[in-house]
Amino acid sequence: MIYFSSDSHAFHKNICRGTSEWGDTGEQRTRDFDTPEEMTQNIVKTWNKYVQWDDTLYFLGDWSFGGFDNIKRFRDQISCQNIHFILGNHDHHIENNKENIRDLFSSVQHVKTITIEGQRIFMSHYSHQVWDKSHKGVIHLFGHSHDTLEGIGKSMDVGVDVAYRMFGEYRPFSWQEIKAIMDKREITLVDHHKFQTN
């Protein structure tokens, strides 16, 4: 099985209602947990319910807070051996590769394009208005926005906050779920390609 997720924010106190300094209004939404540890354990338990040891998880950024120890601490609890990591804005420790932290993941990069069952998928932590061959139906998956930004055309936020709204769990999306969603969406042309007929 192949899964996609982003924005776990493990051990992040400001995303938990019980410890947040943000409040819970407008664009700043918190998760209904008392502590970051409670939230993180909920995510670990939920992910491990879906993603098995020999599955593949594409993670689209913002793994954890609290430095190198928490990166490894969170990773060690996830049962999946194959996690491909697309860097987010809070992943500077992983990007800088200090203490070989990158070795915890199957690959680490800023963007990644894969093909599943003949369907190309472009992944980035950030939402794009256009991406390589977006005008030809390539799917774009992103994170970062915590369910506050609707995707354009065949793109979507695969973060755990979107999954919570849709399924009631902070869980990953399977490829089959994403395919079913994208099959119902039309290609949206926002640049000069809308004037081309082929």
Side-chain angles (χ1 to χ4, degrees), residues 13 71 148 155:
K13 71 173 187 174
I71 294 168
T148 63
S155 71

Side-chain angles (χ1 to χ4, degrees), residues 29-82:
R29 291 187 240 173
T30 54
R31 299 173 186 164
D32 193 17
F33 297 98
D34 291 331
T35 67
E37 290 75 18
E38 179 189 357
M39 176 192 72
T40 302
Q41 287 310 304
N42 178 277
I43 291 171
V44 167
K45 181 179 177 182
T46 305
W47 283 12
N48 286 340
K49 182 169 76 171
Y50 290 94
V51 184
Q52 303 304 305
W53 173 253
D54 56 352
D55 292 335
T56 299
L57 173 65
Y58 291 94
F59 183 80
L60 278 61
D62 289 1
W63 181 256
S64 65
F65 282 63
F68 301 110
D69 290 343
N70 280 346
I71 294 168
K72 187 174 188 312
R73 182 177 163 203
F74 184 42
R75 177 65 184 96
D76 286 347
Q77 295 179 75
I78 304 302
S79 64
C80 179
Q81 67 173 331
N82 302 308

Side-chain angles (χ1 to χ4, degrees), residues 49-145:
K49 182 169 76 171
Y50 290 94
V51 184
Q52 303 304 305
W53 173 253
D54 56 352
D55 292 335
T56 299
L57 173 65
Y58 291 94
F59 183 80
L60 278 61
D62 289 1
W63 181 256
S64 65
F65 282 63
F68 301 110
D69 290 343
N70 280 346
I71 294 168
K72 187 174 188 312
R73 182 177 163 203
F74 184 42
R75 177 65 184 96
D76 286 347
Q77 295 179 75
I78 304 302
S79 64
C80 179
Q81 67 173 331
N82 302 308
I83 301 178
H84 294 274
F85 202 105
I86 289 86
L87 292 159
N89 56 301
H90 293 296
D91 297 318
H92 53 279
H93 291 306
I94 297 169
E95 182 175 20
N96 295 337
N97 197 25
K98 191 171 180 181
E99 300 178 8
N100 298 316
I101 204 74
R102 284 178 175 235
D103 294 341
L104 298 173
F105 303 99
S106 300
S107 68
V108 178
Q109 55 273 306
H110 284 279
V111 298
K112 188 173 186 73
T113 301
I114 61 172
T115 302
I116 305 174
E117 299 173 355
Q119 174 64 58
R120 287 186 69 189
I121 302 165
F122 169 73
M123 293 172 284
S124 169
H125 181 61
Y126 306 100
S127 173
H128 295 240
Q129 289 191 35
V130 293
W131 52 95
D132 185 28
K133 296 185 177 58
S134 56
H135 62 295
K136 295 193 174 183
V138 169
I139 291 171
H140 167 38
L141 304 179
F142 62 91
H144 185 65
S145 298

